[in-house]
Amino acid sequence: MAIASGGGHWVQMRRLMPVFEGAEVFFASVDPSSASDVPGHRYYSIRDVSRRDRIGFVILAGQLLHILLRERPDVVITTGSAPCLIALGLAKHLLRARTIWIDSIANAERLSTSGSQARRVADLWLTQWEHLARPDGPKYWGAVL
């Protein structure tokens, strides 16, 4: 499962497309029109939420639960943000999926709020800025842009 919020998060996820070659991957994001960016792959549109939208988080969790139980991914990778953090948590704890968080390259000065919390649910926790890497994570493996 490859999941990302819209805008730059989705652009960065699309930059990772060559990595998925040969793998069975499906995508999820917040904009229904993004399905046209990943032809030949299953695509799920999810609700976009912010930290202040509690009801939205409940709806999102239901959507993600439905997708995860239907698809049962072995690996979930994301370039953020908050909706994707929920997906990583559900996938890790319910399905024992391996999880990868790549913090957005937009977070050049410090990790995003969701990116900071991702350490708890990400098996592999990455930043795209070398100066933000720490010995105990996040790690720096390069940037996708």
Side-chain angles (χ1 to χ4, degrees):
M1 176 181 195
I3 181 170
S5 291
H9 297 285
W10 183 247
V11 169
Q12 291 167 67
M13 180 58 71
R14 289 180 53 214
R15 294 276 178 126
L16 293 172
M17 291 286 287
V19 172
F20 306 135
E21 219 170 283
E24 183 183 343
V25 63
F26 66 94
F27 293 86
S29 188
V30 297
D31 184 353
S33 69
S34 294
S36 63
D37 294 335
V38 289
H41 296 280
R42 293 180 307 284
Y43 178 86
Y44 296 91
S45 180
I46 58 170
R47 184 180 179 110
D48 194 9
V49 298
S50 69
R51 287 176 283 164
R52 296 185 183 123
D53 184 4
R54 292 182 180 177
I55 292 174
F57 267 106
V58 172
I59 295 168
L60 171 68
Q63 289 177 315
L64 291 170
L65 195 58
H66 175 78
I67 295 166
L68 291 167
L69 292 176
R70 179 178 180 168
E71 296 284 350
R72 297 194 175 273
D74 295 323
V75 177
V76 178
I77 184 170
T78 184
T79 51
S81 59
C84 306
L85 181 63
I86 303 300
L88 256 60
L90 289 171
K92 181 173 182 69
H93 295 294
L94 295 177
L95 303 177
R96 307 268 186 239
R98 291 177 289 157
T99 55
I100 303 169
W101 178 277
I102 304 171
D103 208 48
S104 173
I105 198 161
N107 304 309
E109 299 297 321
R110 60 186 173 101
L111 291 177
S112 66
T113 302
S114 296
S116 296
Q117 296 176 6
R119 79 172 51 184
R120 291 184 265 164
V121 293
D123 296 309
L124 179 58
W125 182 38
L126 299 173
T127 175
Q128 297 186 58
W129 293 98
E130 191 169 9
H131 66 278
L132 296 179
R134 302 287 179 264
D136 59 340
K139 296 187 181 317
Y140 172 76
W141 286 11
V144 299
L145 296 179

